[in-house]
Amino acid sequence: MPTARSTSTARLLRPGGLTTHLPRRPVWCVQVPIALVDAAAWPLALALLGMDVLIGTYAPSTPAVAAAAVALQLGTGAASGLYTRRWRVGGYDEAYVLSRSVAACAVLLVVLHLATAQPLPLLPLVAAPLVLLAMASARWVARRQTDRRLRPAEAATRVVVVGAGEAGRQVVEAMLHSPTSPYLPVAIVDDDRTKTGLSIGGVPVLGRRDALVDVLRTRRASGVVVAVPSADDELVRDVVERVAPLGVVVKVVPPIDELLTRAVSVADIHPVDPADLLGRPVADLDLAAVCGYLAGRRVLVTGAGGSIGSELCRQINRCSPERLVMLDRDESALHGVQLSLEGHALLDDRSIVVADIRDSQRLSAVMAEHRPHVVFHAAALKHLPLLEMHPGEAVKTNVLGTLNVLEASAAWGVERFVNISTDKAADPCSVLGYSKRLAEQLTTWVACETGMVALSVRFGNVLGSRGSVLVTFAEQIRQGGPVTVTDPDVTRFFMTVEEAVSLVVQAGAVGGAGEALILDMGRPVRILDVARRMVETSAPQVRIEFTGLRPGEKLHEDLFGPGECDVRPVHPLISHVAVPPLDPEELRALAPSTPDAELVRRMRSMAQRGAVALHGAHPFVAPEVAHAQAGLRLEDANPFHRLVATPLAPPAPAGA
């Protein structure tokens, strides 16, 4: 139980788990005055009621009975913790304990009256409500004084809270009970009409969401906090769009699944996640249903320190592998991923491997030591403008490095190999796209030649990854702008890192040798719209500038290359396409020392080969894809479907 201390600060626990750092006053500053009020309440109430003509003849209590009342109240109060700071002054818990203490004292006084033949033996029962009222009033005054001390400074940002539910109540109380809070709630709006007119901590509910703009103006607020943990992206975007003309900053609280075991605090209030602004639902991929092939197995991840690689390690680790080998050339990145997985980063485990995929001998030694069953290949160079200037580096890492990993995996008995590709490999027109397309083709060749289940996974931009446009926008906004967009009409596909990695893990279970798997990423998102929404939610004064498309950039990305068909034989959100093989002997033409222009021309020539016609003519084509293209489809009820002979509609003729 907390006690007074000489230190200048202490943590004061609030109902619902709210905490605030405040200079703590000694116990006697609050508890002694309250105890004195409690001690005086009984004698005064007994004396006043003893002179009341409605009670009967004047018969004041004797000094002995008054002294007994004081002793009993202080005794029952101390026993229940009223004077030892066990309960928050003026809180519901203290009110309950106070009521029990007064009731116990009244009963004991009645017994004492009867035992001593005092007049008006039921007088303590009549006096008890007055006593309770006096004690509660004293605590209300103390509570008001405490709340004033806890209230945020006048310089705090005045905000309107959206949501008057339990989370809204906790958010309002958290802000009002923290003197260091940067927010001061001045009003609440909620779509539930029955809540209009209510008050939470003195903050009124002034209407529904459609009144938000008027409330912001009348209450002179410059911020909005969306306190609806179950809010979907549509609600958040609606709030952002409503307040955009006012230049109001919008903040949100965490999702409901993050708040199941704790209450909301001021620290939980954060800017709107860019994922909430994309207008695209997150694909629901069932990781648990497919990670059986990883349980009890040895798994190696290249590029383990990167955005995708580190999330891969976290998700694979939840599948209980026998061993998770994390390989990267960046030792600091490995330090970070081990810290996120194990809570420490001692870097003293042989499963943490510093190696470069360009070094084939080193890779072979790693494979020989760990003998992985499954390899996820995430190591790559991915920044398009840099690779346009340095195509030889793209060949060394994305092409030859991938071949090194493939050959080492095949030589040491890897059963499944998942190459992480990009949507830029579909109908490529950049050095990055060429190099990743060649990596897909090499993956197919190894699958065809060795029998190893080797496949690729394509996806678009990943939210929050290093170099992501959203990370760039956030940093530009932090610096005061301008936010740079290449073209007003440029669009991109986006997905969360969790989605991308779930797809990669599923690919290892459902993908066939030589395939590329593509997630249904919904409609592409206009980058200008994302930039505007990010600016509106955090810094409306920041301007947006257009810089023009860079060499190798497309106005609109593709998910499928020419001749690739959207076939989904296993999962309704995952398409399967076949990729033509590329014999490594052909890579002799891609010597990194070749002049840049000639090197790019040769890469383009190899990468832009026609897609494979999926009719079973190639031995590396997965049977499910070949059957589907031939006119059969899979049942939709189970992720691991069996083929059923249900004719599909024939493809439309060319040019139709």
Side-chain angles (χ1 to χ4, degrees):
M1 192 167 57
T3 57
R5 295 180 297 181
S6 60
T7 55
S8 60
T9 63
R11 176 160 293 205
L12 183 61
L13 297 180
R14 299 289 173 206
L18 304 178
T19 61
T20 304
H21 290 284
L22 279 178
R24 173 174 283 183
R25 296 182 296 179
V27 167
W28 61 267
C29 288
V30 176
Q31 305 303 114
V32 169
I34 288 179
L36 292 176
V37 170
D38 291 355
W42 275 107
L44 290 175
L46 290 172
L48 288 173
L49 289 176
M51 292 183 288
D52 197 325
V53 296
L54 296 177
I55 298 297
T57 307
Y58 168 67
S61 301
T62 63
V65 174
V70 171
L72 288 172
Q73 179 58 53
L74 294 179
T76 57
S80 59
L82 285 176
Y83 311 126
T84 55
R85 253 192 171 170
R86 182 180 298 176
W87 317 107
R88 184 189 181 192
V89 174
Y92 293 112
D93 292 333
E94 188 191 48
Y96 172 70
V97 175
L98 180 65
S99 300
R100 291 200 310 173
S101 173
V102 170
C105 185
V107 171
L108 291 174
L109 284 175
V110 169
V111 173
L112 183 62
H113 269 64
L114 293 173
T116 57
Q118 290 291 324
L120 302 175
L122 297 182
L123 182 61
L125 295 180
V126 179
L130 290 178
V131 172
L132 184 61
L133 178 62
M135 295 179 178
S137 298
R139 284 164 171 79
W140 179 81
V141 172
R143 171 72 174 270
R144 293 285 291 179
Q145 291 177 339
T146 300
D147 287 347
R148 288 194 184 97
R149 293 175 56 238
L150 294 174
R151 193 175 178 86
E154 290 300 322
T157 301
R158 296 168 64 87
V159 298
V160 174
V161 177
V162 177
E166 178 61 20
R169 181 191 66 79
Q170 291 186 22
V171 165
V172 169
E173 290 188 353
M175 290 188 285
L176 290 177
H177 295 157
S178 174
T180 59
S181 169
Y183 313 109
L184 175 65
V186 295
I188 306 170
V189 297
D190 194 287
D191 285 341
D192 186 350
R193 293 181 182 274
T194 63
K195 294 180 179 178
T196 300
L198 297 179
S199 177
I200 299 176
V203 181
V205 180
L206 296 181
R208 303 176 66 200
R209 199 193 326 162
D210 53 15
L212 178 58
V213 172
D214 291 337
V215 172
L216 284 165
R217 287 175 174 149
T218 58
R219 307 297 287 192
R220 295 179 292 107
S222 56
V224 173
V225 175
V226 180
V228 184
S230 59
D232 55 16
D233 56 343
E234 183 178 349
L235 186 151
V236 175
R237 288 199 310 276
D238 177 70
V239 171
V240 170
E241 290 169 0
R242 286 178 185 273
V243 304
L246 303 181
V248 170
V249 175
V250 179
K251 307 279 185 175
V252 296
V253 298
I256 189 65
D257 56 351
E258 297 182 23
L259 301 175
L260 293 177
T261 59
R262 62 182 179 85
V264 185
S265 71
V266 174
D268 289 319
I269 300 172
H270 62 272
V272 176
D273 190 329
D276 296 328
L277 304 176
L278 294 179
R280 173 189 172 277
V282 174
D284 184 14
L285 300 175
D286 187 1
L287 178 64
V290 297
C291 69
Y293 77 104
L294 300 175
R297 312 286 278 174
R298 295 184 296 276
V299 184
L300 183 144
V301 178
T302 71
S307 306
I308 295 294
S310 58
E311 179 62 22
L312 259 172
C313 292
R314 285 186 283 271
Q315 292 199 24
I316 292 170
N317 193 55
R318 294 200 291 268
C319 294
S320 304
E322 175 190 336
R323 184 188 310 157
L324 174 58
V325 183
M326 297 178 285
L327 182 150
D328 203 294
R329 66 178 181 177
D330 185 342
E331 59 181 345
S332 298
L334 288 172
H335 179 280
V337 70
Q338 187 186 27
L339 184 63
S340 71
L341 281 175
E342 302 175 12
H344 66 80
L346 301 178
L347 299 178
D348 58 354
D349 191 324
R350 294 289 298 177
S351 295
I352 309 295
V353 179
V354 177
D356 193 329
I357 63 171
R358 296 181 177 188
D359 187 342
S360 59
Q361 293 183 346
R362 171 67 174 142
L363 278 177
S364 183
V366 172
M367 294 287 184
E369 176 182 357
H370 295 285
R371 299 292 182 92
H373 299 101
V374 183
V375 170
F376 290 90
H377 176 46
L381 298 178
K382 64 178 183 178
H383 290 282
L384 186 149
L386 276 177
L387 296 185
E388 288 295 313
M389 294 187 293
H390 309 289
E393 297 304 305
V395 171
K396 291 176 185 177
T397 297
N398 295 355
V399 181
L400 300 179
T402 296
L403 180 60
N404 289 338
V405 182
L406 281 164
E407 290 181 336
S409 298
W412 291 101
V414 170
E415 299 170 5
R416 289 182 176 269
F417 182 98
V418 181
N419 169 49
I420 298 176
S421 188
T422 170
D423 57 356
K424 293 173 177 59
D427 193 17
C429 66
S430 64
V431 170
L432 172 59
Y434 301 148
S435 65
K436 297 300 285 183
R437 178 63 171 177
L438 295 177
E440 290 184 359
Q441 294 173 339
L442 289 170
T443 301
T444 296
W445 186 89
V446 171
C448 184
E449 292 294 316
T450 67
M452 179 173 65
V453 180
L455 55 125
S456 300
V457 185
R458 290 182 201 161
F459 47 82
N461 295 272
V462 176
L463 296 178
S465 66
R466 297 176 188 173
S468 165
V469 66
L470 301 187
V471 174
T472 302
F473 287 169
E475 179 60 21
Q476 290 175 332
I477 291 171
R478 188 189 68 80
Q479 294 181 4
V483 169
T484 56
V485 178
T486 56
D487 188 280
D489 297 320
V490 68
T491 63
R492 292 292 181 265
F493 293 100
F494 283 95
M495 64 193 317
T496 67
V497 66
E498 293 80 11
E499 280 183 289
V501 169
S502 293
L503 170 65
V504 171
V505 175
Q506 289 215 42
V510 304
E515 294 178 344
L517 273 64
I518 305 165
L519 179 66
D520 182 350
M521 303 182 69
R523 294 190 302 270
V525 177
R526 197 163 73 131
I527 298 298
L528 178 58
D529 292 340
V530 177
R532 283 174 174 166
R533 288 168 180 163
M534 291 184 66
V535 167
E536 290 165 356
T537 58
S538 52
Q541 73 281 3
V542 171
R543 72 181 189 279
I544 297 175
E545 290 184 356
F546 299 104
T547 60
L549 290 174
R550 296 168 293 185
E553 284 190 321
K554 296 179 181 179
L555 191 62
H556 309 292
E557 292 288 1
D558 303 299
L559 292 176
F560 298 90
E564 292 182 341
C565 301
D566 185 356
V567 178
R568 309 185 185 199
V570 178
H571 193 291
L573 294 178
I574 301 177
S575 303
H576 295 233
V577 300
V579 177
L582 174 67
D583 191 328
E585 287 297 318
E586 298 185 49
L587 297 182
R588 296 180 185 275
L590 298 183
S593 58
T594 304
D596 288 353
E598 177 62 18
L599 183 61
V600 172
R601 187 192 67 78
R602 294 177 183 180
M603 292 176 67
R604 181 188 306 114
S605 176
M606 292 182 183
Q608 291 184 338
R609 292 175 178 175
V612 175
L614 288 179
H615 48 67
H618 296 270
F620 58 88
V621 176
E624 293 85 353
V625 177
H627 278 73
Q629 193 68 14
L632 301 178
R633 71 182 180 191
L634 301 173
E635 291 180 308
D636 294 329
N638 192 308
F640 303 97
H641 307 80
R642 60 181 178 84
L643 284 166
V644 292
T646 306
L648 291 175

